[in-house]
């Protein structure tokens, strides 16, 4: 009998970094969060045009999606009052503090125009894209923020 291969790093044997919670950002993935499934589909299609892999989740399931992987960016559909995804802000802030980096990048889709500061938004938000959501508005912001990693 052979002893267990201690250098086996397959899925059955997660890497030590994964066991300790130190998850590296995957810049090929973007978490798309919103209550509206239609908006999530529209945003996901735009993300795909940038050559990225969208992960679409409602706000209730988004925090769980963040615990297993760290996407390069998170796109939040703020809803009519920009508050639909507020419960997720503390989880994103905790990830950023743990890594010491502004990752994942956060884009808020808003019914209002302005900067995160002028709209009184959380410091976690890196960019605001005004609705209606179009490729011309969203894709350059995604490319800029994900490309910074």
């Amino acid at each position: 009998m052979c002893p267990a291969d201690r250098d086996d790093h397959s899925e059955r044997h997660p890497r030590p970094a994964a066991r300790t919670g130190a998850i590296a950002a995957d810049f090929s993935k973007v978490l798309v969060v919103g209550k509206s499934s239609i908006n999530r589909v529209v945003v996901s299609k735009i993300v795909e045009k940038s050559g990225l892999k969208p992960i679409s989740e409602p706000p209730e399931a988004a925090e769980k999606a963040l615990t297993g992987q760290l996407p390069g960016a998170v796109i939040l559909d703020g809803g009519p009052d920009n508050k639909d995804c507020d419960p997720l802000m503390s989880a994103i802030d905790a990830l950023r503090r743990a890594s010491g980096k502004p990752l994942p990048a956060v884009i808020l889709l808003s019914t209002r125009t302005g900067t995160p500061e002028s709209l009184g938004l959380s410091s976690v938000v890196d960019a605001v894209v005004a609705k209606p959501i179009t490729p011309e508005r969203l894709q350059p912001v995604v490319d800029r923020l994900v490309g910074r990693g």
Side-chain angles (χ1 to χ4, degrees):
M1 295 229 179
C2 294
D5 180 4
R6 301 217 186 270
D7 294 327
D8 180 8
H9 296 292
S10 66
E11 290 302 315
R12 292 175 299 154
H13 304 283
R15 283 169 275 157
R19 285 192 298 252
T20 62
I23 302 170
D26 184 346
F27 293 99
S28 70
K29 294 182 181 173
V30 176
L31 179 62
V32 178
V33 182
K35 287 185 177 180
S36 167
S37 60
I38 294 170
N39 284 354
R40 289 195 320 260
V41 168
V42 169
V43 172
S44 292
K45 293 295 182 189
I46 294 169
V47 166
E48 286 174 347
K49 286 182 180 181
S50 292
L52 303 168
K53 299 172 193 159
I55 303 163
S56 177
E57 296 287 352
E60 303 79 34
E63 188 170 350
K64 186 176 181 181
L66 278 173
T67 59
Q69 56 195 332
L70 182 58
V74 177
I75 301 175
L76 305 172
D77 183 352
D81 60 357
N82 288 341
K83 303 221 180 280
D84 282 2
C85 297
D86 278 1
L88 193 58
M89 295 296 189
S90 61
I92 295 170
D93 188 42
L95 283 171
R96 287 176 158 202
R97 280 186 278 121
S99 72
K101 298 177 183 176
L103 295 172
V106 178
I107 301 169
L108 179 73
L109 306 176
S110 176
T111 55
R112 297 178 278 174
T113 58
T115 65
E117 297 81 19
S118 70
L119 295 174
L121 299 171
S122 166
S123 61
V124 172
V125 176
D126 297 307
V128 177
V129 176
K131 292 180 182 178
I133 306 160
T134 64
E136 294 79 20
R137 290 182 183 180
L138 182 57
Q139 195 166 359
V141 177
V142 171
D143 291 343
R144 177 175 52 91
L145 289 177
V146 176
R148 76 177 182 191

